[in-house]
Amino acid sequence: MSYVIVAFYHFFDFPNFEAMQAPLLERLHSLGIKGSLLITREGVNSTISGTRDAIDAFLDYLQNDLIGAKITYKESYAEFQPFGKARVRLKKETISLGEPVSMKRFGQYVEPKDWNNLIRGNDVVILDTRNDYEVNLGTFKGAVDPSIPTFKYLPQWVRDNADSLKGKKIATFCTGGIRCEKFTSWMIDNGFDDVYHLKGGILQYFEDVPAEETLWDGECFVFDERIAVDHSLKPSKSAALCLYCDHALTVEDQAHPHYVKGVSCPHCHGDPAYQHDRPSTNPRRGRIKF
C-alpha cells in the first residue's frame, strides 16, 4: 500500500478549537489517518498520512466544512505508514516564536521557480530558520545556519547579528513555509523591510524545481519516520536519528566514533546537558514522537 503524506498549515479565526479536538481525532481514526494535527485559536498546522481516499476525504472536510476556504498543502509518498498514531494537540499558537508578532505584514513571497535567481544575488543573506538538527541534513548552498535549538532562539540571533543583516535582502526559508510566515512578520515589526520567504518552503521547492537545477545540498528533515526526504521527495535511505538527543544524523555522523546507536552521537557526546551514564543495553527513545 502506498501512503500519501500531506503537510499543511492555515491561519484562520478558530475560536472553538478546543471543542473540536475530540471530533477531529475521531474523524482521523475513522479514516485510518495517522500523524499530528495542531489546532489553535489562530488556525491549524499539520502533517498526516493515510490512503489517497482517506486524505482526500479529510482535506475536503477541512476546506468545505471546518475552514470554509481552500488550503495550500504539500504531498509526498511512502510505501510505509510514517506515523505511529493520530494526535490532535491544543496549542496557544500555531507556531510559537516566543515574542509578540503583529501578523499584519509579511515578507515578500518568492515562488520556488524564482528562488534560485534571488539567492544567487551578492546582496542577499540566505537565512535558514529551522532548528540545528534539521539543518544538519541539508540546506541551500550559501545559507546562514543560526545554529538554534528551537524557533524561539531566532529573534535573539537576529539582534546579535543585526549589523551583518542591515542593508541586505534577507531571504528566509523553512520546511513548509509556516515559520517564515511568522518570522518575516516579526522581522518587519523590528525594522527589517527587505525580507523575502520561499513560498511553500523547501518541500514546494523540491516539487517545482527540477533536480538538475537545484541549489539544495543534502536532504530535508521531516518530522516522521522517514526522517528526511531527497529532492524527489523520496524517503531517505541514509539518514538516522540519535535516540538519545534526537539530532538528525548524516552518514558521516553515523561513522563517527562517538555514535553508539541508542546511546550517543557526535552532537551530544560530552555535552554536559546530557548524562550518558547508562549501559548501551538500555537505550532511550528521544523527545521526538512520531
Side-chain angles (χ1 to χ4, degrees), residues 66-140:
L66 185 68
I67 297 174
K70 290 288 185 181
I71 64 174
T72 300
Y73 54 88
K74 274 76 67 180
E75 288 189 356
S76 54
Y77 308 91
E79 295 304 313
F80 60 94
Q81 171 57 268
F83 294 101
K85 62 180 180 179
R87 295 186 297 170
V88 178
R89 298 185 293 163
L90 303 177
K91 292 285 185 178
K92 291 182 179 180
E93 299 175 79
T94 308
I95 184 166
S96 177
L97 187 58
E99 298 191 10
V101 184
S102 68
M103 299 298 287
K104 293 180 179 179
R105 295 175 59 204
F106 304 92
Q108 300 178 51
Y109 290 107
V110 181
E111 296 288 344
K113 64 182 178 62
D114 300 321
W115 181 252
N116 286 357
N117 286 336
L118 173 65
I119 66 175
R120 285 191 177 109
N122 294 326
D123 58 342
V124 179
V125 175
I126 314 162
L127 182 57
D128 196 328
T129 67
R130 299 171 304 152
N131 300 337
D132 53 7
Y133 57 86
E134 300 174 73
V135 181
N136 190 54
L137 290 185
T139 190
F140 282 105

Side-chain angles (χ1 to χ4, degrees), residues 85-284:
K85 62 180 180 179
R87 295 186 297 170
V88 178
R89 298 185 293 163
L90 303 177
K91 292 285 185 178
K92 291 182 179 180
E93 299 175 79
T94 308
I95 184 166
S96 177
L97 187 58
E99 298 191 10
V101 184
S102 68
M103 299 298 287
K104 293 180 179 179
R105 295 175 59 204
F106 304 92
Q108 300 178 51
Y109 290 107
V110 181
E111 296 288 344
K113 64 182 178 62
D114 300 321
W115 181 252
N116 286 357
N117 286 336
L118 173 65
I119 66 175
R120 285 191 177 109
N122 294 326
D123 58 342
V124 179
V125 175
I126 314 162
L127 182 57
D128 196 328
T129 67
R130 299 171 304 152
N131 300 337
D132 53 7
Y133 57 86
E134 300 174 73
V135 181
N136 190 54
L137 290 185
T139 190
F140 282 105
K141 296 173 183 177
V144 175
D145 172 16
S147 299
I148 54 171
T150 70
F151 193 32
K152 292 182 178 181
Y153 284 78
L154 197 51
Q156 187 58 50
W157 182 91
V158 170
R159 286 188 284 267
D160 291 342
N161 294 272
D163 289 344
S164 64
L165 300 176
K166 291 286 176 62
K168 300 279 190 177
K169 293 179 180 177
I170 304 171
T172 70
F173 65 92
C174 55
T175 306
I178 187 170
R179 280 193 177 210
C180 294
E181 293 274 359
K182 184 160 281 192
F183 178 62
T184 59
S185 182
W186 180 89
M187 291 284 285
I188 291 171
D189 290 346
N190 286 271
F192 295 89
D193 294 320
D194 210 3
V195 184
Y196 303 78
H197 64 102
L198 177 59
K199 188 175 181 179
I202 302 160
L203 297 181
Q204 194 67 53
Y205 179 88
F206 284 179
E207 189 171 328
D208 294 352
V209 177
E212 59 269 22
E213 298 176 14
T214 190
L215 293 182
W216 181 265
D217 186 15
E219 296 180 313
C220 177
F221 181 88
V222 290
F223 287 88
D224 59 57
E225 293 288 356
R226 295 172 297 168
I227 302 176
V229 295
D230 61 19
H231 192 100
S232 300
L233 294 172
K234 294 180 180 178
S236 174
K237 295 182 179 179
S238 60
L241 199 68
C242 176
L243 299 186
Y244 197 93
C245 72
D246 291 331
H247 208 288
L249 306 175
T250 63
V251 172
E252 291 75 18
D253 290 332
Q254 295 169 64
H256 196 281
H258 289 161
Y259 175 62
V260 180
K261 188 175 181 179
V263 177
S264 67
C265 77
H267 303 280
C268 64
H269 181 86
D271 189 328
Y274 300 96
Q275 297 299 319
H276 299 98
D277 56 359
R278 67 191 188 294
S280 59
T281 55
N282 185 30
R284 176 184 69 82

